Amino acid sequence: MDLVQVLSEQYMKPELPSMNVGDTVRVSVKVKEGARERVQVFEGTIIARKHGGVSETITVRRISYNVGCEKVFPVHSPTIVGVETVRRGKVRRAKLYYLRDRVGKRAKVKERI
């Protein structure tokens, strides 16, 4: 095996839930505030998946108070407690950047049954 691959496999999470572009997910993240540590949840639609292996990231977008908010989460980061799929999305693209220009009902993704 390649040395880089062996080193990166020890940092990868053993099991990840199936998540695809267009899915609505709930990402639980550890947040450190001073001496305290808590878990904060960010719920939104996955608009992009990038890279692969240990450096894989997902971009999650949500609308809060009529303002679009996007966060990029490294999937295998130790600060990510878990990723839960809320609903499956039916999409035909690998990147959903066109949702940035849409508001209201037009920004929705159809549900896959």
Side-chain angles (χ1 to χ4, degrees), residues 54-72:
V54 76
S55 64
E56 182 180 357
T57 61
I58 57 171
T59 305
V60 182
R61 178 179 176 82
R62 78 167 177 199
I63 307 291
S64 57
Y65 301 104
N66 293 328
V67 177
C69 179
E70 290 183 10
K71 285 191 178 181
V72 179

Side-chain angles (χ1 to χ4, degrees), residues 40-107:
Q40 187 174 19
V41 177
F42 188 87
E43 184 174 339
T45 305
I46 297 178
I47 64 168
R49 283 182 76 171
K50 287 187 178 180
H51 315 299
V54 76
S55 64
E56 182 180 357
T57 61
I58 57 171
T59 305
V60 182
R61 178 179 176 82
R62 78 167 177 199
I63 307 291
S64 57
Y65 301 104
N66 293 328
V67 177
C69 179
E70 290 183 10
K71 285 191 178 181
V72 179
F73 295 105
V75 176
H76 296 287
S77 172
T79 59
I80 303 292
V81 177
V83 179
E84 176 189 348
T85 304
V86 177
R87 63 190 282 264
R88 316 281 290 166
K90 181 182 178 185
V91 294
R92 298 170 67 180
R93 312 225 170 287
K95 305 281 191 278
L96 303 181
Y97 295 140
Y98 67 90
L99 291 178
R100 293 173 174 165
D101 301 328
R102 299 191 178 185
V103 291
K105 287 185 178 180
R106 293 179 66 206

